[in-house]
Amino acid sequence: MSVTKKFLVVAAVSALTAATAAPAMALENEFHGIFKVRGIISNYDDGSAGRLIPTSTPGAKNYIEQRARLLYMAKANDDLKLVTHFEIDSRWGDNSYNSNNTTRNNGGAIGADQVNLETKSVYLDFNVPGSPAPLNVKAGIQPFTDAYKGIIFSNDAAGVVATSSFDKVSARLSYFRFFDNLKTDKTPANNTNGYLTQDFVNLEGKYSVNKDLKVGGSYFLLYDDRSRVTSPRVNVHMIGVNAEAKVGPATVDGFFIYQTGKAGVVADAAATSAAGSAQPFKTVSAFAANVGVKAKIGPGTARMNALYISGDSSVNSGSSRNDFITINGVEHSFYPAEMMIMLRSKHALNTDRAIVYSLNNANQGLIGGFLGYDLSIDKFFVNSNLGLGAVAKNATGNSNDYMGTEINTEIGYKLFDNMSASVQAAYMILGGYFAGVGAGGTNPENPYTTRVVLNYLF
Amino acid sequence: MRKIAVVAMAAFMMSATVPVLAQMSKEEKDECLLASKNCLNEVDSLQKRIKKLNTEIKKGKKIYSAEELKKLNGKLQEAEEIVKTLEQENK
């Protein structure tokens, strides 16, 4: 073979080898997200969030809102990544060109061009190398859900969460700094980091007894110094147990959680005077309990949840309180009930109204029973739910504790594997608890909502 | 000269060929899911990834070691957590 031919053969083989060599692992950029747009006709949904107080003549509202969430992960390898999560919300026709001086939940008016990007998460997620047992750490602003179906804390916050598992045991230790008040418009004015703070600690443990039974135990601490200059520290300790078991064709789960500690201020003048100049705190003794069952019945899945949240009919008197303390009122939910009106809905976007917006329920607590059935046939899906709710302790003085009955349904079709179109409807028959609360002592109108939703998840 | 041109073109074509991955058989590991190897230049949607992971996990210990199955289950949990995070309609 001549020199030229040998050269060409070597060149060809080199080119082939170089082209088919496996690429060296570099940073992996992963994008995911969700987009939802929904049109709403309702007599209570109004584009805002908060407690729904039924009225006699609410009027019918109609509007369209949308939400995009974009999640970007920078993965160095399977053990190290940065996770970021952003959100853009608008109601069609609300504002544009920053005309209302706000920077979130706007930008749907003509021209758009609104500064409205929200940051939900920015955190580092890594597995500690060389750890004797697998140890994962997440540090930064991150999503968190407790092991009690979200009734304690289920939202985004800045903190560090360490999770480890070995054999049948897993444990999670979490710390969050919810608030560190520095602004001079807070009372009192404060310029010292770490002085007026609200902190949250959670220790979780789970044990797999066998393949059908898992049990867990938890400790939570809510520690609030934000009002320390005028009031004592809020210190709420929570101890909980939870379990999940497969019983025949069904999965049964549930929890019990007890709260103790100090929260709120004694309003009783004599007690205040007896304590000297400092207002004494109320002693907390409250609890929540739940049982849930899920089973395949027929072509679909049936669900049941029962929930008890303790209440107090006279929280402003005495030196103790029995209402379940919720974190800042809104950073929790009970989505397994699958309600749209009675409790906060998992479908909520900017519109997030509910009769029982906070499970504390104006200190009254809740007794709730919820049934549901989910069915998927080919590309169609139907989810239907029934909920019954009453206050645990009536603080209004009326004799009827029953808040009402909700029925809701969602019927949808998967246009693509990751895109669906659906129709949702919910109606609540208000109970005797709301009798005569309308204008002039009339009964309020039963709340309803109807929605058409497009949903794309990728 | 013609022979040189043919050899050079063949070398060029072979280097430009996009490697075609063989269809994953029931008896093979999915190295892309397991160790991010031999992935095409695209990322699966979450639904597709969850479907693929469930398919691979079902292959069980015939194809994967206990450690690899644990890894796949971990990735399945991660994907399901991402779906929950995106869909969770907290404020």
Side-chain angles (χ1 to χ4, degrees), chain A residues 53-57 394 396-400 402-403 430-446:
Chain A
I53 298 174
T55 58
S56 306
T57 51
N394 198 324
T396 62
N398 78 32
S399 58
N400 198 314
Y402 189 61
M403 290 191 298
L430 294 174
Y433 175 83
F434 289 107
V437 302
T442 57
N443 289 338
E445 197 172 289
N446 290 332

Short mmCIF file of all heavy atoms in Angstrom, two decimals, chain A residues 53-57 394 396-400 402-403 430-446:
data_model
loop_
_atom_site.label_atom_id
_atom_site.label_comp_id
_atom_site.label_asym_id
_atom_site.label_seq_id
_atom_site.Cartn_x
_atom_site.Cartn_y
_atom_site.Cartn_z
N ILE A 53 -66.42 34.44 52.16
CA ILE A 53 -67.53 34.68 53.09
C ILE A 53 -68.78 34.82 52.22
O ILE A 53 -68.93 35.80 51.48
CB ILE A 53 -67.29 35.95 53.93
CG1 ILE A 53 -66.02 35.74 54.77
CG2 ILE A 53 -68.49 36.25 54.82
CD1 ILE A 53 -65.57 36.96 55.54
N PRO A 54 -69.69 33.85 52.29
CA PRO A 54 -70.85 33.89 51.40
C PRO A 54 -71.72 35.12 51.67
O PRO A 54 -71.88 35.54 52.82
CB PRO A 54 -71.60 32.60 51.76
CG PRO A 54 -70.60 31.73 52.43
CD PRO A 54 -69.67 32.65 53.15
N THR A 55 -72.26 35.67 50.60
CA THR A 55 -73.15 36.83 50.71
C THR A 55 -74.44 36.55 49.95
O THR A 55 -74.52 35.59 49.19
CB THR A 55 -72.48 38.09 50.14
OG1 THR A 55 -72.14 37.83 48.77
CG2 THR A 55 -71.23 38.46 50.89
N SER A 56 -75.43 37.43 50.14
CA SER A 56 -76.76 37.20 49.54
C SER A 56 -76.78 37.46 48.04
O SER A 56 -77.44 36.78 47.29
CB SER A 56 -77.81 38.10 50.21
OG SER A 56 -77.78 37.91 51.58
N THR A 57 -76.06 38.51 47.62
CA THR A 57 -76.09 38.88 46.20
C THR A 57 -74.66 39.05 45.68
O THR A 57 -74.22 40.16 45.42
CB THR A 57 -76.88 40.18 45.98
OG1 THR A 57 -76.36 41.17 46.89
CG2 THR A 57 -78.36 39.98 46.25
N ASN A 394 -68.12 26.02 67.58
CA ASN A 394 -68.78 27.17 66.97
C ASN A 394 -68.49 28.42 67.78
O ASN A 394 -68.84 28.50 68.96
CB ASN A 394 -70.30 26.90 66.91
CG ASN A 394 -70.98 27.81 65.93
OD1 ASN A 394 -70.61 28.96 65.78
ND2 ASN A 394 -72.00 27.29 65.26
N THR A 396 -69.56 31.47 66.65
CA THR A 396 -70.47 32.53 66.21
C THR A 396 -71.66 32.71 67.13
O THR A 396 -72.37 33.69 67.04
CB THR A 396 -71.02 32.23 64.80
OG1 THR A 396 -71.78 31.00 64.88
CG2 THR A 396 -69.90 32.07 63.80
N GLY A 397 -71.90 31.75 67.97
CA GLY A 397 -73.04 31.86 68.85
C GLY A 397 -74.30 31.22 68.30
O GLY A 397 -75.26 31.00 69.02
N ASN A 398 -74.31 30.91 66.97
CA ASN A 398 -75.52 30.26 66.48
C ASN A 398 -75.46 28.77 66.80
O ASN A 398 -74.41 28.22 67.12
CB ASN A 398 -75.78 30.56 64.99
CG ASN A 398 -74.90 29.75 64.04
OD1 ASN A 398 -74.54 28.62 64.32
ND2 ASN A 398 -74.59 30.33 62.90
N SER A 399 -76.60 28.13 66.72
CA SER A 399 -76.70 26.77 67.27
C SER A 399 -76.31 25.70 66.27
O SER A 399 -76.23 24.53 66.61
CB SER A 399 -78.14 26.52 67.73
OG SER A 399 -79.00 26.70 66.62
N ASN A 400 -76.11 26.09 65.01
CA ASN A 400 -75.87 25.08 63.98
C ASN A 400 -74.40 25.09 63.56
O ASN A 400 -73.87 26.12 63.18
CB ASN A 400 -76.79 25.35 62.77
CG ASN A 400 -76.92 24.14 61.87
OD1 ASN A 400 -75.93 23.49 61.55
ND2 ASN A 400 -78.15 23.84 61.48
N TYR A 402 -73.14 23.03 61.14
CA TYR A 402 -72.93 22.41 59.83
C TYR A 402 -72.72 23.46 58.76
O TYR A 402 -73.59 24.30 58.48
CB TYR A 402 -74.13 21.52 59.46
CG TYR A 402 -73.87 20.68 58.22
CD1 TYR A 402 -72.84 19.75 58.20
CD2 TYR A 402 -74.63 20.85 57.06
CE1 TYR A 402 -72.57 19.00 57.07
CE2 TYR A 402 -74.38 20.09 55.93
CZ TYR A 402 -73.34 19.17 55.94
OH TYR A 402 -73.08 18.42 54.82
N MET A 403 -71.53 23.46 58.14
CA MET A 403 -71.18 24.48 57.15
C MET A 403 -71.75 24.17 55.78
O MET A 403 -72.07 25.07 55.02
CB MET A 403 -69.66 24.62 57.05
CG MET A 403 -69.02 25.27 58.27
SD MET A 403 -67.31 25.69 57.99
CE MET A 403 -66.64 24.08 57.69
N LEU A 430 -74.95 25.46 51.21
CA LEU A 430 -74.55 25.96 52.52
C LEU A 430 -75.44 25.39 53.62
O LEU A 430 -76.66 25.24 53.45
CB LEU A 430 -74.61 27.48 52.53
CG LEU A 430 -73.60 28.18 51.61
CD1 LEU A 430 -73.84 29.68 51.58
CD2 LEU A 430 -72.16 27.87 52.04
N GLY A 431 -74.84 25.09 54.75
CA GLY A 431 -75.58 24.50 55.86
C GLY A 431 -76.10 25.55 56.83
O GLY A 431 -75.94 26.75 56.64
N GLY A 432 -76.69 25.09 57.90
CA GLY A 432 -77.31 25.96 58.89
C GLY A 432 -76.34 26.92 59.56
O GLY A 432 -76.74 27.95 60.09
N TYR A 433 -75.08 26.62 59.52
CA TYR A 433 -74.08 27.52 60.09
C TYR A 433 -74.14 28.90 59.46
O TYR A 433 -73.86 29.92 60.10
CB TYR A 433 -72.69 26.89 59.89
CG TYR A 433 -71.52 27.75 60.33
CD1 TYR A 433 -71.12 27.77 61.66
CD2 TYR A 433 -70.82 28.53 59.41
CE1 TYR A 433 -70.05 28.55 62.07
CE2 TYR A 433 -69.75 29.32 59.82
CZ TYR A 433 -69.37 29.32 61.15
OH TYR A 433 -68.32 30.10 61.55
N PHE A 434 -74.51 28.95 58.16
CA PHE A 434 -74.55 30.22 57.43
C PHE A 434 -75.95 30.83 57.38
O PHE A 434 -76.17 31.83 56.71
CB PHE A 434 -74.04 30.01 55.99
CG PHE A 434 -72.57 29.74 55.91
CD1 PHE A 434 -72.10 28.47 55.64
CD2 PHE A 434 -71.65 30.75 56.11
CE1 PHE A 434 -70.72 28.20 55.58
CE2 PHE A 434 -70.29 30.51 56.05
CZ PHE A 434 -69.83 29.23 55.80
N ALA A 435 -76.90 30.24 58.09
CA ALA A 435 -78.27 30.76 58.02
C ALA A 435 -78.31 32.20 58.50
O ALA A 435 -77.81 32.52 59.58
CB ALA A 435 -79.18 29.88 58.86
N GLY A 436 -78.90 33.05 57.71
CA GLY A 436 -79.12 34.44 58.10
C GLY A 436 -77.89 35.32 58.11
O GLY A 436 -77.93 36.46 58.60
N VAL A 437 -76.76 34.86 57.55
CA VAL A 437 -75.56 35.70 57.58
C VAL A 437 -75.52 36.69 56.42
O VAL A 437 -74.61 37.52 56.35
CB VAL A 437 -74.25 34.84 57.60
CG1 VAL A 437 -74.23 33.89 58.77
CG2 VAL A 437 -74.06 34.11 56.30
N GLY A 438 -76.46 36.59 55.50
CA GLY A 438 -76.51 37.53 54.39
C GLY A 438 -77.02 38.89 54.84
O GLY A 438 -77.40 39.08 56.00
N ALA A 439 -77.06 39.83 53.89
CA ALA A 439 -77.50 41.19 54.20
C ALA A 439 -78.93 41.16 54.74
O ALA A 439 -79.80 40.47 54.19
CB ALA A 439 -77.43 42.04 52.93
N GLY A 440 -79.17 41.89 55.81
CA GLY A 440 -80.50 41.99 56.39
C GLY A 440 -80.99 40.68 56.98
O GLY A 440 -82.21 40.45 57.06
N GLY A 441 -80.09 39.82 57.34
CA GLY A 441 -80.49 38.55 57.95
C GLY A 441 -80.96 37.51 56.95
O GLY A 441 -81.54 36.49 57.34
N THR A 442 -80.69 37.73 55.67
CA THR A 442 -81.10 36.75 54.66
C THR A 442 -80.08 35.63 54.58
O THR A 442 -78.97 35.73 55.10
CB THR A 442 -81.20 37.41 53.27
OG1 THR A 442 -79.91 38.01 52.97
CG2 THR A 442 -82.27 38.49 53.25
N ASN A 443 -80.49 34.55 53.93
CA ASN A 443 -79.55 33.45 53.71
C ASN A 443 -78.65 33.77 52.52
O ASN A 443 -79.11 34.29 51.50
CB ASN A 443 -80.30 32.15 53.44
CG ASN A 443 -80.98 31.62 54.68
OD1 ASN A 443 -80.58 31.96 55.79
ND2 ASN A 443 -82.00 30.81 54.48
N PRO A 444 -77.38 33.48 52.63
CA PRO A 444 -76.48 33.78 51.51
C PRO A 444 -76.71 32.81 50.35
O PRO A 444 -77.28 31.73 50.53
CB PRO A 444 -75.09 33.58 52.11
CG PRO A 444 -75.29 32.63 53.23
CD PRO A 444 -76.67 32.86 53.76
N GLU A 445 -76.25 33.25 49.19
CA GLU A 445 -76.36 32.41 47.98
C GLU A 445 -75.36 31.26 48.06
O GLU A 445 -74.22 31.44 48.51
CB GLU A 445 -76.06 33.28 46.75
CG GLU A 445 -76.50 32.68 45.43
CD GLU A 445 -76.34 33.69 44.29
OE1 GLU A 445 -77.11 34.65 44.23
OE2 GLU A 445 -75.43 33.48 43.47
N ASN A 446 -75.78 30.09 47.61
CA ASN A 446 -74.85 28.95 47.57
C ASN A 446 -73.73 29.24 46.56
O ASN A 446 -74.00 29.66 45.43
CB ASN A 446 -75.58 27.67 47.15
CG ASN A 446 -76.52 27.17 48.22
OD1 ASN A 446 -76.30 27.41 49.40
ND2 ASN A 446 -77.57 26.49 47.79
#
